Amino acid sequence: VKERKMQKILSNKKAIALFMLPTMLLIGVLVIVPIGMSVYYSLLNWDGIGKSIFVGLRNYKDLISDERFLNSVKNSLLYACCSLCIQLPFSLLLAIVVANVKKGEKFYRTTFFIPVIISSVVIGQLWQKIYNGDYGLLNSLLSMIGIQGQDWIGQESTALVSAFIPNLWQYIGYHMLIMYAGIKSISPDINEAARIDGASKTQIAFKITIPLLKPVLQVCATFSLIGALKIFDLIYVLTGGGPFFSTEVPTIYMYKTIFDSFKYGYGSAIAIFVIIECLILTGVLRLLFRDKEKA
């Protein structure tokens, strides 16, 4: 009886439209309208207060020759590469290990997830203390083994890497939990059959677990890529984009352009670039996973 009722509801297009209406309204008001306004503002020369002047695509043309903007894009792409090539493999390793732990599985799972639920502002302040050149924990540990410390986030040569590490560390537990759930959804009979055939734990991981996790890995890779391209809060708290713009990413440059320089048009052009960049690279990522599945 319940199945028949569900079939009637699903076949009723008016009912489906009615149930979807609140969600579509929220998406329209909170997502589509702001993006549309940003596209409009990106075509203007406007300080946010006075009269706006329509300049067409001039803001986008200026982005191409803006060295500061290009440097920020390079930094965000480097962080995206680190997220995909360092963060995800480490998360996968932890997920496999935790899923096969016999005792304390819940403890390890919760412990690794704790950084995710902590505010990025708090984590930024915490790592500022760790990196501090005078009393930081990192320099204290290095001095114990005879290595001279330095101001890690105050020097151009080390600031970018130092800014990446807290971001990578914070979300390792997030991707680990998603992959852990995927591993637990794999039938134990498959692994048991492999053990009977004489497969080692390493062979089971590479030949069974990882191939079956491809849909989950694609989701994690997409989340990681988008999160890396639109990162803002932690880097802003940790370095503010400095020193000398060495850790600046497009979102921070956009924020400073709009609220410090009052260039709403130019800042909106940066925002639209970030959206387009996320869409294009996410599409490329999907094509890569699709090609691997076909192969």
Side-chain angles (χ1 to χ4, degrees):
V1 177
K2 289 182 178 179
E3 289 181 359
R4 290 178 182 176
K5 288 182 178 179
M6 285 298 296
Q7 287 177 356
K8 286 182 180 180
I9 293 173
L10 293 174
S11 61
N12 190 338
K13 294 182 179 180
K14 291 183 179 179
I16 294 173
L18 183 64
F19 282 114
M20 289 181 64
L21 183 61
T23 302
M24 296 305 295
L25 287 174
L26 283 174
I27 292 174
V29 172
L30 300 178
V31 179
I32 297 175
V33 171
I35 290 176
M37 292 175 65
S38 295
V39 172
Y40 172 68
Y41 290 149
S42 69
L43 304 176
L44 305 176
N45 181 10
W46 185 43
D47 62 0
I49 301 173
K51 186 179 179 180
S52 60
I53 301 173
F54 183 80
V55 295
L57 299 177
R58 193 180 74 186
N59 288 323
Y60 294 98
K61 292 179 181 178
D62 292 341
L63 286 178
I64 299 174
S65 58
D66 188 346
E67 292 185 4
R68 181 177 171 184
F69 169 74
L70 295 175
N71 180 68
S72 68
V73 173
K74 182 195 73 175
N75 290 340
S76 67
L77 292 176
L78 282 173
Y79 177 58
C81 290
C82 290
S83 297
L84 294 174
C85 300
I86 298 175
Q87 187 183 65
L88 292 186
F90 201 78
S91 299
L92 178 60
L93 176 63
L94 284 178
I96 293 173
V97 171
V98 172
N100 290 280
V101 168
K102 294 181 179 179
K103 291 184 179 180
E105 185 176 335
K106 292 182 179 179
F107 170 78
Y108 292 119
R109 187 179 62 201
T110 305
T111 302
F112 290 131
F113 191 74
I114 286 175
V116 181
I117 62 176
I118 300 175
S119 168
S120 296
V121 176
V122 174
I123 289 179
Q125 292 290 334
L126 171 66
W127 280 85
Q128 272 189 339
K129 303 298 184 294
I130 294 174
Y131 285 140
N132 189 279
D134 298 324
Y135 56 83
L137 177 62
L138 180 58
N139 283 345
S140 299
L141 293 174
L142 291 175
S143 63
M144 292 173 64
I145 57 177
I147 300 176
Q148 186 177 0
Q150 57 182 308
D151 187 3
W152 297 95
I153 57 177
Q155 296 182 8
E156 291 185 67
S157 58
T158 58
L160 187 61
V161 175
S162 300
F164 285 170
I165 290 173
N167 287 279
L168 296 173
W169 167 78
Q170 183 181 11
Y171 288 102
I172 281 176
Y174 175 78
H175 298 294
M176 182 217 69
L177 195 63
I178 296 175
M179 296 175 187
Y180 168 86
I183 293 171
K184 285 297 183 180
S185 67
I186 297 174
S187 174
D189 296 336
I190 300 175
N191 293 334
E192 187 63 30
R195 289 193 191 96
I196 293 173
D197 289 339
S200 64
K201 290 183 179 180
T202 304
Q203 289 174 325
I204 291 173
F206 281 97
K207 299 294 184 180
I208 296 175
T209 304
I210 294 176
L212 291 176
L213 275 180
K214 279 184 179 178
V216 177
L217 293 176
Q218 182 178 354
V219 171
C220 289
T222 303
F223 286 169
S224 180
L225 177 64
I226 295 174
L229 295 176
K230 65 183 185 66
I231 186 172
F232 172 79
D233 45 6
L234 207 156
I235 290 183
Y236 185 79
V237 172
L238 195 61
T239 65
F244 304 107
F245 316 122
S246 59
T247 62
E248 196 170 61
V249 291
T251 50
I252 292 179
Y253 186 30
M254 174 195 68
Y255 176 85
K256 291 183 177 180
T257 300
I258 293 175
F259 296 104
D260 292 347
S261 302
F262 300 103
K263 296 179 180 179
Y264 277 72
Y266 197 66
S268 297
I270 299 173
I272 298 303
F273 169 83
V274 173
I275 294 172
I276 295 172
E277 182 186 32
C278 288
L279 290 173
I280 292 174
L281 293 181
T282 302
V284 171
L285 194 65
R286 290 186 63 183
L287 287 175
L288 290 174
F289 272 92
R290 187 178 300 174
D291 290 342
K292 288 181 180 180
E293 287 176 3
K294 287 181 179 179

